[in-house]
Amino acid sequence: MSAKPAVLKDVLLLPFSEGQEIGGIHLRNGKLLWRINLQVGYRVRSVISIDRHFLVSICDERPLEIAQSGFLAVVDPATGQMSTLWEGGSSIIGQAVPLDDRLLLRTGANELILFEFNESLHPIWKQALMTWWSAAEPVLAGENILISDGKAMLGEGLLSAYRLSDGEQ
């Protein structure tokens, strides 16, 4: 499944070719400004606009024996220049969820991480999860983060709540 597009300033970042490429399209004239072809096996999982950049979650979907770390990258809307901000330590990176100047992320290493975002990513806290995958992204509910966890297909799924301030359950 390919990521949804995002808009920043007058630029639409559009994942295409099943997430293997991204392109920047000028909204006023429809012209392609730039195009990035990802390395074979890498796919865009999510795209959001945050601060003055696009933030892209990229996964390595090759077989686990050869897969490398997934990563978060910033993309400059004007030039398409992409820079890695953070590597996840596993091939899968979930959808990044923006929370003002912070960013919430579920990783393939069974972690929920809250980052401070200001031109770089600084982990505020990490919380171990039981599973690496969920179809639902984390949700902010007041001062808590709600996230599905456990083995739902075995009837062992649960909804966990973590405090936004410190990550405690």
Side-chain angles (χ1 to χ4, degrees):
M1 176 168 79
S2 189
K4 296 177 185 176
V7 174
L8 185 64
K9 301 178 185 173
D10 288 340
V11 178
L12 170 72
L13 187 146
L14 183 65
F16 48 97
S17 300
E18 297 182 4
Q20 295 177 348
E21 299 177 85
I22 55 175
I25 298 172
H26 197 282
L27 290 175
R28 293 184 193 211
N29 61 24
K31 291 186 179 179
L32 183 66
L33 299 171
W34 47 263
R35 185 176 190 150
I36 299 172
N37 294 309
L38 299 177
Q39 189 177 348
V40 173
Y42 283 82
R43 298 257 192 283
V44 174
R45 175 62 56 92
S46 71
V47 177
I48 59 173
S49 53
I50 186 169
D51 196 26
R52 298 179 313 266
H53 302 287
F54 291 112
L55 185 71
V56 183
S57 301
I58 299 177
C59 298
D60 186 346
E61 295 188 353
R62 296 177 295 176
L64 291 176
E65 298 81 26
I66 61 171
Q68 300 293 310
S69 180
F71 58 95
L72 291 174
V74 290
V75 178
D76 182 285
T79 65
Q81 181 176 344
M82 185 165 70
S83 305
T84 300
L85 277 181
W86 181 81
E87 291 193 28
S90 68
S91 61
I92 303 295
I93 298 290
Q95 169 136 0
V97 178
L99 304 170
D100 295 323
D101 61 344
R102 294 170 291 179
L103 185 75
L104 190 61
L105 184 71
R106 183 181 205 142
T107 74
N110 300 14
E111 295 175 312
L112 180 65
I113 305 174
L114 182 69
F115 293 98
E116 177 183 14
F117 181 79
N118 52 8
E119 298 299 318
S120 61
L121 289 176
H122 304 284
I124 297 171
W125 55 256
K126 291 182 184 182
Q127 184 58 251
L129 300 173
M130 291 186 280
T131 56
W132 62 273
W133 176 252
S134 172
E137 63 190 54
V139 174
L140 182 63
E143 293 299 313
N144 293 304
I145 297 163
L146 303 178
I147 189 165
S148 62
D149 203 7
K151 300 174 185 172
M153 294 186 76
L154 298 176
E156 300 171 8
L158 54 102
L159 181 65
S160 296
Y162 298 95
R163 286 192 307 250
L164 181 61
S165 60
D166 58 13
E168 293 301 312
Q169 199 165 18

